[in-house]
Amino acid sequence: MVQATQSSDAAATDAILKEPSRDGESISGGHLVAKALKAEGVDVIFTLCGGHIIDIYDGCVDEGIAVVDVRHEQVAAHAADGYARITGKPGCAVVTAGPGTTDAVTGVANAFRAESPMLLIGGQGALTQHRMGSLQDLPHVDMMSPITKFAATVPHTARVADMVSMAFRECYAGAPGPSFLEIPRDVLDNEVPLSSAVIPSSYRTTTKSIGDPASVDKLAGLLARSAKPCVLLGSQVWTGRGSQAAIDFARTLNVPVFMNGSARGTLPPGDPHHFSLSRRYAFSNADLILIVGTPFDFRMGYGRRLPASATVVQIDMDYRTVGKNRDVDLGLVGDPGSILAAVTAAGSHVERRAWFAELRAQETAAYEKRLPRQLSAASPIHPLRLAHEINEFLTEDSIYIGDGGDIVTFSGGVVQPKSPGHWMDPGPLGTLGVGIPFVMAAKYARPDKEVVALFGDGAFSLTGWDFETLVRFNLPFVGVVGNNSSMNQIRYGQMRKYGDARGRVGNTLGDVRYDEFARMLGGYGEEVRNPEDIAPALRRARESGLPSLINVWVDPDAYAPGTMNQTMYK
């Protein structure tokens, strides 16, 4: 028995070390992965190397798929998530077994809550060593199942491409999300006759459904009779590439629009249908509220902020989300863009001048109340002043990325992207550390776009070493660290609960010069202490053509309204 085991181990090792065939008649598992990725439209993988997965790299070289290697697997997973958001194509990260896969869990979980279609491929010990305690062996599928739409082990080399395609299909079943495949080392390295390998090439079907046409007509009728409607566009509008349909809906049917998540930028600032600061007032006074592609989660007060007096309609890709946490008067399940286009075709323009004027007055009052802090000349710099300068700096082509707690909460009410798909944040999981990998994905996928990222100093620290990856791959961006040497969102809650004397427990960071960190790694860095110096520093970072960090010292005793209300816990 021992001799047989040793013999199978030796055979497995021989297969791994054997030079791959190049005769076109046989193909390895790693090369099948690459062929399947290519068929899916994947042109880059984000990865950190490991012995279990190197045959995938070899396959990617042959298929012309770029390999972007990072310094931490969490970054690889976040970058795959970010790539999917930017491009509309599935993202892919490849990591080794054991700690490589567990390091990527956070990135997969973030994509799961954000409904982002990505595939994580993890290595695994050889099948010949199953449950024998091989190097880095863990129950990956069991760990990944709760945070993916699909998680499985590939059992045979001939099934590799088939199961990669299967995983991608599941990414797009209903609302998008991540999938996970573990591929044992011998399955990847072994070869099979090309004729026996299953390589799907045409299997996708359209998912642009409008659901029940009768519900579309009913919604069109509700809008025609409404005097005070409003619509909240959520991330699914961008995920499903329904931005133009949403724009046409708002302008044709004359409906005020609010936006959250990656739907920000659907309508540009200055559009008469674009509103942001009057959302609470609109929800409290509207007679019809349409929620599109966003759940009744903590960001929506679990639906409790919507009055019982209003007619509430919800559109979502996932039937499980419709009516969850709050009853709705009408629910439509399907592609948000397609549904909005159908409602637009069935509806009609209604003049609502008084309602628009009412909302615009609230919008103006809220803006003017905030303006003194937004233009504050104080030093340390008020975070609202920093957000204001960033907003003024953005162009039509600037993709804005927010990574942090309190500082990004401040920016959420001020920074307004000017085009669809130009806002990126973690999403409802609230994961810190997405900034650098999102920059990596955005700049790699869209080198023609300027990428501007705002980090909290705590958030940047989590994945900041991959700034070097941006330098190595020549991915320039304008980065700003709002530095208060604190995890301020948590600090505020501690002070409120335990008093100022215990307000600095477990939340205080060192006074780190992130500008010097950037220069050390080959990028551009600059320090700012006075608000009038922010704009020139941003311009110099843009002109440098390098990955950059502007270290801006902000007031540690200024807190965003959401932080002071502790809305993240309500």
Side-chain angles (χ1 to χ4, degrees):
M1 191 65 168
V2 173
Q3 289 178 338
T5 301
Q6 290 174 340
S7 176
S8 63
D9 286 350
T13 301
D14 288 344
I16 292 165
L17 297 178
K18 180 183 175 183
E19 185 176 343
S21 300
R22 308 285 182 185
D23 56 13
E25 297 180 2
S26 298
I27 190 167
S28 71
H31 284 247
L32 284 169
V33 169
K35 282 189 176 295
L37 294 178
K38 190 74 171 181
E40 195 66 36
V42 173
D43 54 16
V44 59
I45 62 170
F46 300 94
T47 186
L48 198 158
C49 64
H52 295 88
I53 55 174
I54 56 175
D55 198 58
I56 296 176
Y57 296 174
D58 194 59
C60 286
V61 171
D62 283 357
E63 296 296 331
I65 297 172
V67 177
V68 174
D69 52 311
V70 301
R71 289 177 170 269
H72 195 288
E73 289 90 353
Q74 181 180 346
V75 171
H78 284 320
D81 171 4
Y83 186 84
R85 300 190 197 199
I86 286 291
T87 65
K89 299 190 296 185
C92 183
V94 179
V95 299
T96 198
T101 298
T102 60
D103 277 352
V105 165
T106 298
V108 174
N110 194 71
F112 183 68
R113 283 294 303 273
E115 298 182 340
S116 186
M118 60 161 285
L119 172 63
L120 177 70
I121 297 175
Q124 180 56 287
L127 285 176
T128 56
Q129 298 159 354
H130 182 57
R131 292 190 179 274
M132 292 174 63
S134 63
L135 176 67
Q136 298 181 327
D137 179 23
L138 282 175
H140 305 131
V141 172
D142 293 342
M143 293 188 293
M144 289 291 185
S145 291
I147 55 170
T148 57
K149 296 175 65 92
F150 176 81
T153 303
V154 180
H156 191 277
T157 302
R159 293 289 311 282
V160 167
D162 178 34
M163 292 200 69
V164 169
S165 301
M166 189 183 300
F168 278 123
R169 279 197 296 271
E170 294 292 338
C171 285
Y172 289 94
S179 289
F180 171 73
L181 279 181
E182 71 168 12
I183 310 181
R185 191 188 66 194
D186 48 358
V187 171
L188 270 179
D189 288 292
N190 285 343
E191 295 183 352
V192 295
L194 187 59
S195 59
S196 69
V198 181
I199 310 177
S201 59
S202 179
Y203 58 87
R204 281 289 193 88
T205 59
T206 179
T207 57
K208 302 290 185 179
S209 168
I210 65 166
D212 181 5
S215 294
V216 169
D217 291 338
K218 185 175 181 179
L219 176 53
L222 289 171
L223 285 162
R225 295 187 295 273
S226 170
K228 294 185 174 185
C230 65
V231 58
L232 174 64
L233 302 178
S235 290
Q236 286 184 2
V237 172
W238 171 247
T239 302
R241 296 308 188 263
S243 301
Q244 189 58 52
I247 294 168
D248 295 342
F249 168 86
R251 292 174 177 170
T252 302
L253 303 187
N254 200 31
V255 180
V257 173
F258 298 87
M259 296 158 279
N260 76 358
S262 58
R264 291 170 181 258
T266 303
L267 287 172
D271 187 288
H273 296 86
H274 175 293
F275 293 87
S276 60
L277 300 179
S278 58
R279 190 171 100 174
R280 184 183 294 270
Y281 180 89
F283 281 177
S284 298
N285 292 274
D287 58 16
L288 174 62
I289 301 172
L290 174 57
I291 306 296
V292 184
T294 194
F296 294 132
D297 60 13
F298 71 96
R299 296 169 297 177
M300 290 285 295
Y302 307 103
R304 298 168 196 154
R305 296 175 189 161
L306 307 184
S309 58
T311 298
V312 176
V313 180
Q314 189 175 14
I315 298 172
D316 203 275
M317 291 180 172
D318 190 341
Y319 74 93
R320 294 170 299 181
T321 297
V322 175
K324 181 180 179 181
N325 297 331
R326 189 205 191 277
D327 290 348
V328 295
D329 297 283
L330 177 63
L332 296 87
V333 178
D335 176 70
S338 298
I339 291 174
L340 291 175
V343 173
T344 302
S348 58
H349 181 93
V350 177
E351 281 296 337
R352 301 184 174 95
R353 293 179 184 174
W355 177 231
F356 273 80
E358 189 177 336
L359 291 180
R360 191 59 63 191
Q362 292 292 323
E363 195 90 1
T364 301
Y367 176 76
E368 290 178 348
K369 181 180 179 180
R370 190 183 66 191
L371 194 58
R373 289 175 296 152
Q374 196 168 312
L375 299 179
S376 169
S379 180
I381 296 165
H382 196 287
L384 280 174
R385 176 64 186 269
L386 175 58
H388 171 81
E389 296 294 346
I390 292 173
N391 188 53
E392 293 295 305
F393 177 75
L394 297 181
T395 71
E396 296 288 334
D397 284 329
S398 299
I399 296 172
Y400 174 78
I401 296 169
D403 180 17
D406 198 61
I407 191 74
V408 173
T409 304
F410 269 119
S411 80
V414 178
V415 176
Q416 296 186 351
K418 298 174 174 57
S419 305
H422 285 58
W423 172 283
M424 297 178 74
D425 63 26
L429 193 61
T431 305
L432 301 186
V434 301
I436 287 293
F438 278 9
V439 167
M440 187 182 303
K443 194 63 184 177
Y444 188 91
R446 297 299 307 271
D448 56 312
K449 296 286 186 180
E450 176 179 73
V451 177
V452 179
L454 173 62
F455 308 89
D457 52 324
F460 179 83
S461 303
L462 289 167
T463 55
W465 272 107
D466 267 286
F467 186 93
E468 185 276 332
T469 306
L470 300 174
V471 172
R472 183 161 28 103
F473 281 89
N474 189 27
L475 300 173
F477 78 106
V478 177
V480 180
V481 179
N483 195 342
N484 54 23
S485 303
S486 303
M487 306 293 276
N488 240 23
Q489 204 162 61
I490 308 307
R491 176 182 162 229
Y492 180 84
Q494 288 176 258
M495 289 192 300
R496 284 287 303 274
K497 188 171 183 177
Y498 305 110
D500 290 355
R502 298 192 177 190
R504 281 290 185 184
V505 178
N507 58 41
T508 303
L509 308 172
D511 294 337
V512 178
R513 290 284 303 274
Y514 292 97
D515 52 312
E516 293 183 353
F517 177 82
R519 290 196 295 270
M520 178 188 75
L521 294 177
Y524 178 82
E526 191 168 337
E527 181 186 37
V528 171
R529 292 187 178 272
N530 297 306
E532 64 270 19
D533 296 330
I534 298 172
L538 290 172
R539 290 194 294 269
R540 285 189 289 269
R542 172 185 282 160
E543 292 162 2
S544 75
L546 296 170
S548 66
L549 288 179
I550 307 302
N551 186 67
V552 180
W553 295 100
V554 295
D555 186 353
D557 296 318
Y559 306 97
T563 294
M564 290 189 288
N565 293 328
Q566 295 289 286
T567 53
M568 72 285 294
Y569 300 119
K570 290 181 179 179

